[in-house]
Amino acid sequence: MVKSDVRSTVSAAPVSAAALVGKVTLPRPPAALSRVALAAAAEQPLTAYSPIVVAGCVRAIEGALIAFIGTAIYSLYVVRQEGFYWHYAAAIAGIAALAVFAFEAVDIYQIHAFRRPLRQMGRLAAAWSVVFLLAMAISFFGKLDVAFSRLWLASFYGLGLAALMAWRAGLYFLVRRWMRAGRLTRRTVIVGGGEAGENLIAALDLQPDTEVRVIGLFDDRNDERAPSDCAGQQKLGTVDDFVEFARRTRVDLVIFSLPISAETRILQMLKKLWVLPVDIRLSAHSNKLRFRPRSYSYIGSVPVLDVFDRPIADWDVVMKWLLDKIIGGLALLAALPLMALIAIAIKLDSPGPILFRQKRYGFNNDLIEVYKFRSMYADAADPAASRLVSKGDPRVTRVGRIIRKASLDELPQLFNVLFKGNLSLVGPRPHAVNAKAESRLYDEAVDGYFARHRVKPGVTGWAQINGWRGETDTQEKIQKRVEYDLYYIENWSVLFDLYIMAMTPSALLKTENAY
C-alpha cells in the first residue's frame, strides 16, 4: 500500500485503508508482562458467535422444524387415509415460509428476543395463529378447503406451536449460556476518556439489548488532562498499549469518544489502529455537529459514525469457511498421489524428515505452525528464516529445487486449512517471523505491514498470481506484496477467491522468482 498523506476528515462512510497508512510500529513483547498484558491475560474469552449468523441459523432451523412437523402429521395420518397429494407439500412449504416471514415481522429473530422467553413466546403464538388464519382464508376463498384434512390442519397448528415453544425455550437457555461465556457479547474498548468518555459509557450502559460490554479504556492524554478512572473504567494505557492489548485478547469493537473536531488526534490514532481486525466507530453521542439520520449507525439508540469494518465478518466468515473445507478437501484428495510421490522422492534424495515446520504470522499476528515439504538439507534448515533462499542456494536439495519452482512444497499446507484451521485457501501468504528485506524486518521495511494480518493467511493469494512470489530480497518486492494483499482484503468476495484459485495453476508456471 503506497504511503499517502491524510487530507480528508472523518466522514459517515467507512474510511479506506489507503487513506490512513502511516508508519506503524508494533511493540515487541516485553520480557515482563506489562499492565496491559496482564489485563488482557485476565480477559480470555471464547470465540465469538456472530448474532447475524445465529439469527440466520434460527430462521433455517425453525423453517425446517415447521416443514418436518407438517410432513410427519401428513405421513402418519393423511397418506394412510387418503393417499399422497402434491397440494399438501405445497401447503407445508407455504406455511413454513410464511411463518418465518411472520416471525421476522414481529421481531423475534434478534438476540435480545431470544433472551426474553415470555415476550417472544407471546409474539410467536400470535404470529403462528395469524399464519394459520391466513392459510385458512386462502383455502376458503380459493375453494380449496375441501382439499385439506381438518384434522391435519388442526394438528399441524397445535403440535407446531408446541414444538416451536419448546424449541424457543431451549434456545433461551442456550443463548443465556453463550452470553455468560462471552460468545455473543461485543467486547468493546473506548478510546478517549474525560467527560465525553463518561457520557458515552453511561449511554452504552443504558442500552439493554446491544450486547456491548466495555472491557477497557485507553487514552493518549496523561492523568492531568484525562483522569485515570472514567465511569468506573480504569484507564489501561495509551493507544500504543491498546495495540498490544488487542493482540492478546479478543476485541470486537472500538469506539472513539473524541469529538469530531479533534480531527488531527483521531487520524493519528487511526494510523495505529487500522491494522487491527476490529470494527472502529466514532461516537456522535455528544457531538454538537449533526448529520442526517441515515449517516449514522446505532448501538441501541447511541449514534455512531462508521470508520472501519472488520474485513470478513458474519456470513462472509461462514462462506469462506465452507469454501476452504469443500474445495480444500477436494484438492487434498486430488493431490494425495502426487504428495506421496514427493514424499518418497524427498526421503530418497537426502536424510531427514519429509515435512518441514515453520513458525509464521497468522491472523491478528498470532504465531502459527505451517507445514511444508522439506526442500533443504536437514542440517541446513532455517526455521526462523533468518536468511532467505536465493538463486542457486546450496542449502536446497535436488528435489527441493524442483518442488520449490512449482510451489509443490506448499501442498502440505492443505492440512493447515482442513485440520488446523489457521490457514485459508486464499489470503495473504504467511511470512516467517524473522524474514527480512535488505536486512530489515518486514514490518520495519513496509508501512502498515501488519494490516495484512487482519484476515487469515492463505495458501495462495492475489499477490502470488500477479507475479509477486518467491524471493523478497528488496524492499520493493515486499512492498508490492503488501499492496496486493491489502487490495485483496479490502475487495474480498467469494468470486474473488474462486478467481484467484482458478488463476493459481497458470501463475505457478512463472518460475523466474521461485528458487
Side-chain angles (χ1 to χ4, degrees), residues 28-49:
R28 300 281 173 184
L33 286 179
S34 66
R35 174 183 175 185
V36 170
L38 289 172
E43 293 277 355
Q44 292 301 329
L46 299 173
T47 303
Y49 294 154

Side-chain angles (χ1 to χ4, degrees), residues 402-472:
I402 298 171
I403 62 177
R404 290 178 71 92
K405 278 282 185 182
S407 291
L408 296 177
D409 59 325
E410 314 282 0
L411 284 176
Q413 289 170 25
L414 290 172
F415 294 117
N416 285 93
V417 173
L418 290 171
F419 304 119
K420 285 199 165 187
N422 51 21
L423 282 187
S424 180
L425 286 177
V426 181
R429 288 289 298 139
H431 293 155
V433 177
N434 293 319
K436 297 178 181 179
E438 297 180 354
S439 301
R440 300 175 68 191
L441 293 170
Y442 285 166
D443 63 297
E444 297 172 351
V446 181
D447 293 345
Y449 170 80
F450 285 117
R452 66 194 300 276
H453 300 156
R454 288 180 292 161
V455 300
K456 196 182 295 184
V459 178
T460 185
W462 182 235
Q464 283 62 46
I465 70 167
N466 281 280
W468 299 101
R469 58 184 285 256
E471 187 179 17
T472 51

Side-chain angles (χ1 to χ4, degrees), residues 11-68:
S11 67
V15 178
S16 168
L20 292 172
V21 175
K23 184 60 184 175
V24 180
T25 304
L26 294 186
R28 300 281 173 184
L33 286 179
S34 66
R35 174 183 175 185
V36 170
L38 289 172
E43 293 277 355
Q44 292 301 329
L46 299 173
T47 303
Y49 294 154
S50 164
I52 293 174
V53 174
V54 170
C57 291
V58 171
R59 291 183 183 92
I61 291 171
E62 290 186 347
L65 177 62
I66 293 168
F68 171 78

